[in-house]
Amino acid sequence: MTEIRIGIEGMTCASCSSAVERTLNKLEGVSLAQVNLATETATISFDEEHLDLERIKGAVKRIGYSVSDAVDAQAKEDQKRRELRDLGNRLIINAILTVGLMILSMGPMVGLALPIGSLANALLQLLLATGTIIGGSAFFTKGYSLLIRREPNMDSLVAIGTTASYAYSIWGVVQLIGGDLSALHHHLYFEGVGTILTLVMLGRYLELRSKGKTGEAIQKLMELAPQSATILVNGEQRTVEASAVQVDDIILVKPGEKLPVDGFVISGHSAIDESLLTGESIPVEKSLGSEVYAATLNTTGALQYRASKVGSDTALANIITLVQQAQGSKAPIARVADKISGFFVPIVIAIAALTFVGWMVAGAAFDLAILRAVSVLVIACPCALGLATPIAIMVASGKGAKMGILFRHAAAIETLRTVDTIIFDKTGTLTIGKPAVTDVIADDPIEVMRLAATLELASEHSLSKAIVAKAEEMGLTVGEASGFKALVGSGIEGVIAGSLIRIGNKKLLSEANVTLPLSVEETMVRLSDEGKTPLLVAQDGSYLGLIAVADTLRVETKDAIAQLRQLGIKTVMLTGDNERTAKAIAAQAGIDTYIAEQLPDQKEATIAAYSTSGKVAMVGDGINDAPALAAADVGIAVGSATDVARETADVVLVRNNLTDVTKALLLSRATMRNIHQNLFWAFFYNMLGIPLAIGLLAIFGGPSLSPMFAAFAMSMSSVFVVGNALRLNRFK
């Protein structure tokens, strides 16, 4: 099964996107096609044995739309800029012509009659109105084309309405030519034609400008990467295009320069500002072996590094891809609008026809009946309905990316809002993921650490590395040990300066006949209850002291859990550790519930069990967490996660900070609240507008809706929805 993402040109409303989506899903070989109105893209999963891109393009073209090669952000931005410029020019021309129409038609009513005869006035109005139709020709060519294909859209409504007004006004001109001067100004609605077309074009122009702002997040991300790079070839510096850098090239980056690609430092020392990727303002120290990333800023010293990931493989490129995928995907709530818009336009056309017939049967004048029908056609456009969800998702995805929160698809944004239980993996998620020395209890702690580090230097065990790292942090000078032995299940031993040093558990010292003070026994129990591993140190036959090692909590873990509990979220910890360690870590973190001694398949089963009573999110980082991440309603991978975990998860926290779980949850809630506001406005607008346009209130002496005001209201509804979605950029 192949998945492609293509651009769709010509969509203007929810009916358009629904028509394209229905057409694509009917093609043989297509398993799923989703069309996004806001991003003007289609994501299609299909079998290449039954279908190819040319057939897909042909199917889209047959219903009046076209496939664009501009899918990447920069190409789409350039294309949108051209469209906006062209639409702006046509809008200016139509606005000038419409002002002329208003003067010709309304002038005599306010004492501004031009010194020309009635017939000349009417013919001049006809000329100007024809000019506005030419300026808005796209409404008619596409509107009637789709109507013929039985896939009417917003353009069809505008085309039918303005054509009716235009044709009726031409009939008035014919009457004038024949000498009938009765009710002259009431029978000509050329100014209505021009005003409707101009206002709809204005709304579309404002909408296009507003939608352009929703893509700023991706555009700004793309602009972060430098255009050139300095590579070293046989010791000589060469400046090349960043896109020309190959894997294993040696790159020189000077202070104040941005890194062109990802890689590993091979020479030099510097501090790198990685705030664009992590959100952290403090530069990160980099030296030999450190990993560095494209578009980050070198602040202090010069660095040489070997390129490891270039082009679309860099961390920045992956972030951009994830944001684009999320913006182009469809949230489940969008299906409501899709279903409604699919049959909305035909129903509106039927209502308009019934409105005309109803008023005629009621004895109303022909011009009043046609005005009511035109008002219905114009006011009922489902643009706002179609934009309500995708625009908000688009803005939220971009905002999340700026905050270091990557939503892999729109459904994750919607589902996360409903989560009531968040389950955390322990190691590497709640904790740092590697052991560290937490306590040194001895009469001479410095000497105990020096001896322990000297002996542990010969071991590759993770606990040994923790002790050596602590000694380096304390600035201790480590000596040399001889006769090193690793004693399976108990510890290690070796000779330092003629003394036999043993480090290990109680069993090791008991076998060596080393007597432990009673207080040490009590301390070991206390440390074990705290989730720490006590290592006993003995010199020759005497006890020297105790070193406690543990995988400690992340700095932000307690705050992150406390924030979630304030939001009413139940927290659970899953771990493969024993009961005592799990209990200690859960207590330190403030976790509500913990489950110890969990294997990967058991974690998946635990997720399934919790899912029976509510929505569950899983936060993890390792390969062993991948099944649980996939099983959860929302899988969340922290930034340090393995590639497998990141690919399985629905949300990726780039900053590797657990407090971002809360931020992601709050952003999800804000986004869904925004979508509900947009949908309410879209539905309320049509529920209120259509009865007004029909003239139901006018029957009882209430207000009615003219076609011109209907056009303005319809245009502004879409602008309102886009503007409301843009408020998500202010989310904090």
Side-chain angles (χ1 to χ4, degrees):
M1 193 65 66
T2 302
E3 182 175 289
I4 61 171
R5 187 165 174 260
I6 58 176
I8 305 293
E9 290 183 347
M11 296 190 300
T12 57
C13 68
S15 295
C16 299
S17 57
S18 295
V20 175
E21 189 167 289
R22 284 196 304 271
T23 299
L24 292 174
N25 278 309
K26 288 177 183 176
L27 292 175
E28 182 184 1
V30 171
S31 61
L32 178 65
Q34 291 187 332
V35 178
N36 189 304
L37 175 62
T39 59
E40 296 180 351
T41 58
T43 303
I44 311 164
S45 297
F46 65 97
D47 186 349
E48 287 186 299
E49 293 184 4
H50 297 90
L51 191 64
D52 57 27
L53 183 58
E54 290 306 313
R55 285 185 58 196
I56 291 173
K57 288 182 177 180
V60 172
K61 187 176 181 180
R62 279 195 296 276
I63 59 169
Y65 304 93
S66 59
V67 174
S68 168
D69 293 330
V71 176
D72 65 277
Q74 185 60 56
K76 286 182 70 65
E77 180 69 20
D78 294 341
Q79 181 176 307
K80 287 297 176 189
R81 196 177 291 114
R82 290 192 298 270
E83 289 180 8
L84 191 63
R85 184 170 58 248
D86 177 63
L87 182 58
N89 292 335
R90 288 189 287 116
L91 175 61
I92 291 172
I93 295 172
N94 263 37
I96 294 171
L97 295 175
T98 300
V99 169
L101 279 168
M102 298 295 287
I103 293 173
L104 288 170
S105 62
M106 305 295 183
M109 300 179 188
V110 293
L112 295 176
L114 297 179
I116 58 176
S118 298
L119 180 58
N121 182 302
L123 291 173
L124 190 53
Q125 285 190 54
L126 172 60
L127 180 64
L128 294 179
T130 303
T132 63
I133 287 177
I134 293 173
S137 59
F139 292 113
F140 300 91
T141 54
K142 178 165 291 183
Y144 282 119
S145 173
L146 292 173
L147 187 62
I148 292 170
R149 293 185 175 91
R150 292 183 294 179
E151 293 284 1
N153 70 342
M154 166 206 167
D155 292 342
S156 304
L157 298 179
V158 173
I160 295 171
T162 52
T163 299
S165 297
Y166 184 72
Y168 183 64
S169 299
I170 289 179
W171 173 243
V173 173
V174 171
Q175 288 180 309
L176 280 175
I177 294 174
D180 183 2
L181 301 179
S182 63
L184 171 65
H185 301 297
H186 298 287
H187 285 213
L188 299 182
Y189 296 103
F190 289 122
E191 83 282 356
V193 173
T195 304
I196 290 172
L197 290 173
T198 301
L199 287 175
V200 174
M201 288 174 67
L202 174 63
R204 189 164 294 181
Y205 179 81
L206 294 175
E207 180 186 313
L208 200 59
R209 282 192 61 183
S210 300
K211 284 169 67 177
K213 294 180 181 179
T214 62
E216 286 180 354
I218 289 182
Q219 186 62 27
K220 289 179 179 178
L221 284 173
M222 295 184 66
E223 292 172 354
L224 291 171
Q227 299 300 308
S228 61
T230 302
I231 63 172
L232 299 178
V233 181
N234 298 324
E236 295 183 2
Q237 297 182 21
R238 293 184 186 176
T239 301
V240 299
E241 294 287 328
S243 58
V245 175
Q246 303 291 319
V247 174
D248 289 334
D249 280 350
I250 306 301
I251 300 161
L252 172 65
V253 57
K254 300 173 184 177
E257 293 182 344
K258 288 185 176 180
L259 282 65
V261 297
D262 295 0
F264 292 90
V265 176
I266 60 172
S267 176
H269 182 277
S270 183
I272 302 292
D273 181 355
E274 297 182 344
S275 57
L276 75 95
L277 291 179
T278 66
E280 297 293 343
S281 58
I282 301 176
V284 181
E285 296 295 324
K286 302 290 184 179
S287 56
L288 181 65
S290 297
E291 190 170 7
V292 291
Y293 305 97
T296 55
L297 178 66
N298 184 25
T299 62
T300 53
L303 284 179
Q304 291 182 24
Y305 72 97
R306 186 182 302 278
S308 61
K309 295 180 179 178
V310 301
S312 60
D313 293 329
T314 65
L316 178 65
N318 286 332
I319 288 175
I320 292 173
T321 299
L322 284 177
V323 175
Q324 288 176 329
Q325 288 174 348
Q327 291 184 341
S329 61
K330 183 172 292 186
I333 195 172
R335 295 171 191 153
V336 177
D338 288 346
K339 288 179 180 179
I340 294 173
S341 62
F343 54 78
F344 192 77
V345 172
I347 288 177
V348 167
I349 294 174
I351 292 174
L354 289 173
T355 299
F356 174 77
V357 172
W359 279 100
M360 288 297 292
V361 170
F366 182 84
D367 60 339
L368 178 63
I370 199 72
L371 280 177
R372 294 275 190 261
V374 170
S375 295
V376 171
L377 290 170
V378 174
I379 193 69
C381 170
C383 286
L385 190 63
L387 290 170
T389 298
I391 284 290
I393 293 294
M394 194 173 179
V395 176
S397 300
K399 181 64 178 178
K402 290 180 182 178
M403 297 168 61
I405 301 167
L406 300 181
F407 295 99
R408 295 179 63 86
H409 47 79
I413 300 178
E414 180 175 345
T415 307
L416 186 57
R417 177 186 68 94
T418 62
V419 164
D420 50 30
T421 301
I422 298 183
I423 299 177
F424 293 87
D425 168 57
K426 180 185 79 69
T427 306
T429 302
L430 292 173
T431 65
I432 294 174
K434 58 182 180 180
V437 173
T438 59
D439 304 86
V440 181
I441 302 173
D443 293 335
D444 189 350
I446 293 179
E447 177 63 11
V448 168
M449 280 300 302
R450 187 188 69 80
L451 291 172
T454 299
L455 186 58
E456 298 282 11
L457 191 61
S459 173
E460 290 297 320
H461 196 280
S462 59
L463 298 183
S464 300
K465 291 180 179 179
I467 292 174
V468 173
K470 182 65 175 179
E472 291 176 351
E473 181 185 320
M474 295 171 65
L476 302 180
T477 301
V478 178
E480 293 184 2
S482 59
F484 175 83
K485 290 182 181 179
L487 306 172
V488 179
S490 54
I492 59 175
E493 65 178 34
V495 178
I496 301 175
S499 296
L500 179 61
I501 307 298
R502 295 182 176 90
I503 305 174
N505 55 24
K506 183 179 177 181
K507 174 187 174 185
L508 175 66
L509 268 63
S510 296
E511 291 176 348
N513 297 318
V514 176
T515 303
L516 296 178
L518 182 61
S519 61
V520 173
E521 299 269 6
E522 295 172 349
T523 300
M524 290 176 66
V525 172
R526 176 179 61 82
L527 292 172
S528 295
D529 288 340
E530 293 174 0
K532 301 173 182 178
T533 300
L535 300 174
L536 305 172
V537 182
Q539 183 175 25
D540 293 327
S542 303
Y543 168 77
L544 284 186
L546 178 153
I547 300 173
V549 181
D551 181 9
T552 57
L553 289 176
R554 292 176 182 269
V555 175
E556 77 281 1
T557 294
K558 289 183 180 179
D559 288 340
I561 299 302
Q563 290 171 4
L564 291 172
R565 295 184 72 175
Q566 287 179 352
L567 294 175
I569 303 296
K570 180 181 180 180
T571 55
V572 180
M573 182 184 78
L574 299 185
T575 178
D577 282 340
N578 58 57
E579 176 74 16
R580 176 180 284 181
T581 300
K583 181 179 180 180
I585 294 295
Q588 292 172 28
I591 293 283
D592 294 320
T593 306
Y594 68 90
I595 303 176
E597 300 176 2
Q598 287 274 292
L599 298 175
D601 58 335
Q602 293 175 316
K603 289 183 179 181
E604 185 178 1
T606 301
I607 295 288
Y610 273 99
S611 295
T612 59
S613 58
K615 293 290 185 180
V616 176
M618 169 71 188
V619 185
D621 74 311
I623 293 176
N624 64 326
D625 296 324
L629 290 171
D633 295 297
V634 180
I636 303 175
V638 295
S640 59
T642 61
D643 289 342
V644 173
R646 289 166 67 96
E647 288 299 317
T648 306
D650 303 297
V651 182
V652 178
L653 307 181
V654 177
R655 296 198 316 154
N656 207 27
N657 190 317
L658 284 182
T659 58
D660 286 346
V661 174
T662 304
K663 293 177 184 177
L665 181 63
L666 292 175
L667 178 57
S668 167
R669 291 180 177 181
T671 303
M672 295 310 299
R673 186 163 57 248
N674 189 280
I675 289 173
H676 289 146
Q677 291 168 354
N678 287 344
L679 288 173
F680 170 79
W681 170 256
F683 282 117
F684 175 77
Y685 158 80
N686 281 308
M687 288 175 62
L688 180 64
I690 291 178
L692 278 174
I694 291 173
L696 294 180
L697 298 183
I699 297 173
F700 305 101
S704 60
L705 199 63
S706 71
M708 288 180 285
F709 186 78
F712 178 77
M714 181 271 288
S715 299
M716 290 305 102
S717 68
S718 296
V719 175
F720 173 86
V721 165
V722 175
N724 187 50
L726 287 171
R727 290 193 308 112
L728 287 169
N729 280 317
R730 299 202 298 269
F731 170 82
K732 293 183 180 179

